[in-house]
Amino acid sequence: MIEIAVQISLLMLGASVLLAFIRLAKGPTTSDRVVAADTLATNVLGVIALFAIQTHNKLFIIAVLALAILSFVGTTVYAKFLERGKIIE
Amino acid sequence: MRSLILRTIAPVVLHLTLLFSLFLLIYGHNQPGGGFIAGLMTSVGIVLQWIAVDEEEGRRRFNWPYEGIFLAGLALSTLTGVWGYIKGAYLKSSIYRFEVPFIGDVELFTAFIFDVGVYGVVVGVIMCIFTNLCEKETQEPEAEGE
């Protein structure tokens, strides 16, 4: 049962990654691209977590935690750069 | 000038990153994980604090000798290899057991000491790069004015 759920979730996350990548490629403004990149990172986190469920491997969960903190800080810094023009003032 | 949301969130994230980097440093002694990613996590927490406050206040808060940390980490990593060379187990992980009061048996791997050295190197290098970038960014307008 859980295997079928994981497969369906992987398919949906793949479609979501594709849509986010299209927005990343042809976003009209830079803000659209930043939001698309954040969505892409979150979807990749979901894919890694599903892969950890599928392979019964605990080590991928640590990768999920590390990538979550790094992507949060990256998005925050990019938002500040877009709003102020300078990261450190 | 100052974002209220960022200044409220940054201390919480600092605690999370420091705890997680300590976990990665201890967890990775004979498994994936280890010094590099732990140092990266620590410097990400400090950089986020620095971004949330002003440049002067960040320099006042985090006025640590980063070059010294980098050199001490590099020396610690090198001395671990030299120690193994003297003991006849070059580039092999040795295990030492200790009896620590209130905790019990503690196994210390030499790979863990090497990882602590790598941690110091990564934190020192990233914070050196970051502080130098700050200085250049603030000094450029003065040079143009002259």
Side-chain angles (χ1 to χ4, degrees):
Chain A
M1 192 61 207
I2 191 83
E3 282 84 8
I4 302 167
V6 166
Q7 294 289 334
I8 294 170
S9 309
L10 274 175
L11 274 176
M12 285 174 160
L13 274 177
S16 174
V17 163
L18 198 65
L19 290 174
F21 188 76
I22 289 170
R23 179 53 66 197
L24 183 70
K26 55 170 265 193
T29 62
T30 315
S31 308
D32 289 333
R33 289 202 169 97
V34 172
V35 172
D38 190 39
T39 313
L40 206 63
T42 313
N43 285 330
V44 168
L45 293 186
V47 169
I48 297 173
L50 285 176
F51 196 68
I53 293 172
Q54 205 174 27
T55 57
H56 300 287
N57 200 339
K58 283 180 201 161
L59 292 174
F60 288 111
I61 301 296
I62 298 169
V64 168
L65 284 171
L67 199 56
I69 292 175
L70 286 180
S71 83
F72 165 71
V73 173
T75 310
T76 309
V77 170
Y78 224 118
K80 182 154 187 189
F81 175 70
L82 283 180
E83 196 163 341
R84 316 265 184 219
K86 259 172 110 178
I87 294 176
I88 298 157
E89 46 194 356
Chain B
M1 185 79 184
R2 294 187 171 190
S3 168
L4 179 65
I5 300 173
L6 191 56
R7 282 173 62 85
T8 314
I9 287 296
V12 183
V13 178
L14 178 69
H15 292 146
L16 277 178
T17 48
L18 287 185
L19 263 179
F20 185 54
S21 76
L22 198 64
F23 164 73
L24 279 175
L25 184 63
I26 294 171
Y27 185 77
H29 62 279
N30 53 3
Q31 284 186 52
F36 184 81
I37 187 71
L40 209 61
M41 278 293 145
T42 307
S43 30
V44 157
I46 299 173
V47 164
L48 193 68
Q49 290 294 110
W50 201 305
I51 287 165
V53 299
D54 287 10
E55 195 249 336
E56 287 87 17
E57 196 178 348
R59 202 173 288 282
R60 194 167 51 77
R61 260 189 215 179
F62 301 107
N63 189 16
W64 298 334
Y66 293 114
E67 284 136 5
I69 293 172
F70 162 62
L71 287 175
L74 199 60
L76 189 62
S77 292
T78 312
L79 282 178
T80 312
V82 172
W83 173 255
Y85 192 69
I86 290 169
K87 297 280 281 186
Y90 182 56
L91 288 184
K92 284 178 190 166
S93 184
S94 315
I95 303 172
Y96 298 98
R97 286 175 189 276
F98 293 100
E99 189 75 37
V100 177
F102 304 115
I103 296 178
D105 272 345
V106 171
E107 290 179 348
L108 183 65
F109 291 75
T110 48
F112 175 70
I113 303 172
F114 183 79
D115 260 350
V116 172
V118 173
Y119 176 82
V121 167
V122 172
V123 171
V125 163
I126 291 182
M127 292 315 291
C128 265
I129 293 170
F130 192 73
T131 46
N132 285 331
L133 281 179
C134 284
E135 273 172 11
K136 196 169 182 185
E137 205 167 295
T138 50
Q139 278 172 3
E140 256 178 352
E142 293 173 9
E144 283 172 7
E146 290 169 7

